[in-house]
Amino acid sequence: MSRGTRAVIDLLALQHNCALVRRHAPFSRVLAVVKADAYGSGLVQVAQALPDADGFGVATFDEAMALRSAGITQPILLMEGVLSPAELQGAAQQRLDIVVHQEWQLEWLRTTTLAAPLVVWLKVDTGMHRLGLPADKVVQAWQSLQGLSQVSEIRLMSHLACADEQDHPLNAQQRESFAILMQKTGATTASFANSAAILRGADFHYQWVRPGLMLYGASPLLETSAAELELRPVMQLEASVIAKSVVPAGATVGYGATWRARRDTPLAVVAIGYGDGYPRHVSRDAYVLIAGKRCPLVGRVSMDMLTVDISAVPDVAINAPVVLWGNGLPVEQVAAWAGTVNYELLCQVTDRVQRVYKAG
Ligand SMILES: Cc1ncc(COP(=O)(O)O)c(C=O)c1O
């Protein structure tokens, strides 16, 4: 019997969120970012549920191969580019688009014979200082790509460092630098916007947008909730009650005896812990939902279990479902309790948590 610990993946919510991306960026194509197992929601299942996506963005060659093996035919972009000449040849065989962000990737393109020419996204550094050619190298790189028979089309891309912060000065600076590089290269196809930038307005959109987080129904903006953005959560993390007790006033609960009952307190043990990806460190405000009621965590989260105060629902049954995040409890909230971001929580749900797909 399963212990009831599962991530319910709502594919209709995913489609709704993708449609919302199109509403915000009606003139752009959508490259759905599905790296890291589609932010924990399942790489292939998510891609298959988005037949209208104009392409998919992945981080690794293996992720791209998994999509091709599953029969995904849309363009797939290797967002970190290829890491060896062999991968470059594989990319050509599998019809993958590649990012070029380093001189040596250009060199491989120049010197490797390919099965077919590739679409190349030249990634430029506009201020994030992670991946991308520096501004003064871009025009030369663009021109050398133009001369290569291994390249079927060249596009320009960059990535924003602080799009989640509305007034961060880097947003305008990066946008300005990108516009200048568009002009200097003469690029006609470009991509700049992740989820947060999609929501920051048309100035960031260009011909392709690259939504990740917002597809999964989590808010990419620091100042606005997912509900306010009309996003619907895709992943609901659930577990079951596996034990109940009443701890007497004065008794402590869990490892380290960090929580002490002030009064006789009804408790439930829930079958989920940090071995499943629920964060071990959460603030004292953290709660779960049982029958829609808030039940505060008490004591430390352990590997397979956590304990909650069920004063709000003392009659809850063994095996009753518990919501750790999802509808009514945004993953952003749990991330705030844990001192991290929604991205990390979605990605770190471990393999032993069964993914259950809901399409209706
Ligand atoms: C290059 C690139 N584009 C787009 C995305 C999607 O970002 P987000 O999940 O914030 O929409 C990512 C994710 O990190 C990325 O690395």
Side-chain angles (χ1 to χ4, degrees), residues 33 35 39 79 123 130 157 159 194-196 210-214 343:
V33 176
K35 63 193 172 124
Y39 293 42
M79 296 200 300
K123 185 158 188 178
R130 191 178 62 175
M157 76 181 273
H159 195 50
N194 61 355
S195 297
R210 308 190 305 270
L213 190 67
M214 73 180 286
Y343 294 84

Side-chain angles (χ1 to χ4, degrees), residues 303-324:
M303 188 183 293
D304 317 301
M305 288 171 267
L306 51 81
T307 306
V308 295
D309 175 343
I310 51 167
S311 297
V313 280
D315 299 327
V316 65
I318 292 294
N319 281 332
V322 179
V323 173
L324 286 304

Side-chain angles (χ1 to χ4, degrees), residues 135-197:
D136 60 345
K137 300 271 191 267
V138 170
V139 173
Q140 201 190 356
W142 184 273
Q143 285 166 351
S144 67
L145 284 168
Q146 278 177 321
L148 295 181
S149 60
Q150 291 90 328
V151 178
S152 61
E153 190 185 336
I154 320 165
R155 302 171 178 172
L156 203 68
M157 76 181 273
S158 192
H159 195 50
L160 287 149
C162 304
D164 56 335
E165 291 178 54
Q166 182 158 29
D167 297 321
H168 200 290
L170 253 186
N171 295 335
Q173 284 168 32
Q174 287 196 259
R175 202 180 57 200
E176 179 80 358
S177 305
F178 194 61
I180 292 170
L181 291 171
M182 287 283 294
Q183 227 172 21
K184 283 189 175 168
T185 54
T188 52
T189 305
S191 178
F192 197 30
N194 61 355
S195 297

